[in-house]
Amino acid sequence: MRFEGTEAYIATEDLKTAVNAAVTLERPLLVKGEPGTGKTELARQVASALGLRMIEWNIKSTTKAQQGLYEYDAVSRLRDSQLGEERVHDVKNYIKKGKLWEAFTSDERVVLLIDEVDKADIEFPNDLLQELDRMEFHVYETGETIRAKNRPVIIITSNNEKELPDAFLRRCFFHYIRFPDMDTMRQIVAVHHPAIKEQLLTTALTQFYEIREQSGLKKKPSTSEVLDWLKLLLAEDLSAEDLKRDAASALPKLHGALLKNEQDVHLFERLAFMARQKR
């Protein structure tokens, strides 16, 4: 069971090595990188390449680790007891299974994605240490222990918004997805926009990387954003000549696909103003 990338996902050699190492070690793969570099998509493509079903647990700021195991609805049980409902006698009727329960009890091996773990409270990773390590947890309301029938392939993503606990990091295989260089980006674009003309692609990518390297930028445009931008350029049938910027504006054509806040737009407007002043 090895991951070698897919036709729809360009994986670098070090990324493929990381995935296969995590699978071999049977440890969670912790993937970090700036937003838009394909961390979530990696899990989907690993599942597709290995022929496994994927279970996705999207983490929010309010998510608690217990929700990944199960939730006990004591309020509904109390209400049903007051109404004389027959189902109240079986506590299992009030247990809502979480994503880890689903992954552990699956009859076949699955890929479990724990997406954006750094969004949750700092204690969230620590609260899952034992469950991810032992691949089991106890259900106190029923007295049963849920053990993994088949150890899932676990991929955990983080946008590096906060530091993760050392104890959690020790249990993971770590990989940082570096932002693609020009050659890798060309391969990625070829998957999504195979018919794009070489001159347009070269001009667009040159502008894109110039924007990313601009000092003072609050949010650098990501891979997903350059793909959206190229899609718009193709839809508008723009040529490499159309992308040329004059001194009146340092902003690229259809810049709303790349620059996502007014601070960065104003930055490029100031650069254009300064360039005009020098002329």
Side-chain angles (χ1 to χ4, degrees):
M1 185 176 284
R2 291 187 61 80
F3 176 66
E4 299 295 343
T6 68
E7 292 182 0
Y9 189 89
I10 303 300
T12 58
E13 286 302 319
D14 58 342
L15 178 55
K16 288 186 278 189
T17 299
V19 172
N20 292 320
V23 172
T24 299
L25 293 172
E26 295 187 327
R27 288 188 177 274
L29 173 63
L30 174 61
V31 185
K32 288 188 178 183
E34 60 182 88
T37 48
K39 300 184 296 296
T40 301
E41 187 60 26
L42 170 65
R44 298 189 181 111
Q45 295 301 324
V46 167
S48 174
L50 301 183
L52 305 177
R53 180 168 69 92
M54 192 179 90
I55 296 173
E56 191 168 343
W57 186 14
N58 297 300
I59 307 304
K60 302 178 182 179
S61 60
T62 56
T63 303
K64 302 299 180 185
Q66 182 64 33
Q67 293 171 299
L69 309 179
Y70 69 93
E71 292 180 272
Y72 170 56
D73 192 350
V75 174
S76 291
R77 193 181 189 195
L78 175 60
R79 184 190 62 235
D80 287 349
S81 68
Q82 293 170 339
L83 296 173
E85 295 284 349
E86 194 63 34
R87 65 195 301 267
V88 77
H89 300 296
D90 188 352
V91 69
K92 290 182 179 180
N93 291 324
Y94 304 93
I95 300 290
K96 180 183 178 183
K97 298 177 181 178
K99 298 296 185 180
L100 266 72
W101 188 320
E102 183 182 348
F104 286 4
T105 56
S106 174
D107 289 330
E108 74 280 355
R109 197 177 194 187
V110 300
V111 172
L112 172 63
L113 169 64
I114 304 177
D115 201 24
E116 299 189 333
V117 69
D118 53 327
K119 278 188 176 181
D121 184 86
I122 189 63
E123 291 304 318
F124 178 90
N126 280 334
D127 291 341
L128 288 177
L129 287 180
Q130 181 171 309
E131 289 76 13
L132 294 180
D133 205 24
R134 298 183 181 179
M135 287 286 122
E136 65 177 41
F137 62 89
H138 187 69
V139 183
Y140 295 99
E141 289 77 9
T142 64
E144 61 185 322
T145 297
I146 305 300
R147 295 185 178 87
K149 293 182 180 179
N150 301 283
R151 195 177 187 101
V153 176
I154 300 175
I155 297 179
I156 303 171
T157 72
S158 168
N159 288 328
N160 228 7
E161 292 182 4
K162 62 169 70 89
E163 288 296 318
L164 299 173
D166 288 345
F168 180 77
L169 295 175
R170 282 198 300 272
R171 288 163 169 81
C172 298
F173 190 93
F174 172 77
H175 181 75
Y176 183 85
I177 296 184
R178 293 181 177 84
F179 195 83
D181 58 23
M182 182 79 82
D183 290 338
T184 305
M185 186 64 80
R186 283 178 174 274
Q187 296 178 51
I188 294 171
V189 172
V191 170
H192 296 270
H193 305 298
I196 193 169
K197 293 179 180 177
E198 176 61 29
Q199 191 174 2
L200 174 61
L201 178 59
T202 299
T203 303
L205 288 185
T206 299
Q207 286 191 13
F208 171 71
Y209 280 97
E210 286 175 352
I211 291 170
R212 277 188 56 86
E213 292 166 7
Q214 178 61 51
S215 61
L217 204 63
K218 185 176 181 180
K219 182 192 178 303
K220 294 182 178 182
S222 67
T223 304
S224 60
E225 286 158 345
V226 73
L227 293 175
D228 286 345
W229 186 48
L230 291 171
K231 183 177 181 179
L232 286 174
L233 298 181
L234 291 171
E236 295 293 326
D237 198 23
L238 298 180
S239 66
E241 188 70 22
D242 294 325
L243 294 188
K244 288 186 177 178
R245 292 175 285 184
D246 55 34
S249 176
L251 288 167
K253 292 283 191 301
L254 300 167
H255 63 269
L258 297 175
L259 304 175
K260 298 303 177 72
N261 62 71
E262 65 278 9
Q263 178 178 314
D264 290 341
V265 173
H266 291 161
L267 171 64
F268 281 91
E269 289 174 342
R270 287 196 301 274
L271 291 173
F273 176 76
M274 291 167 63
R276 290 196 299 270
Q277 294 293 99
K278 291 180 180 178
R279 295 184 66 178

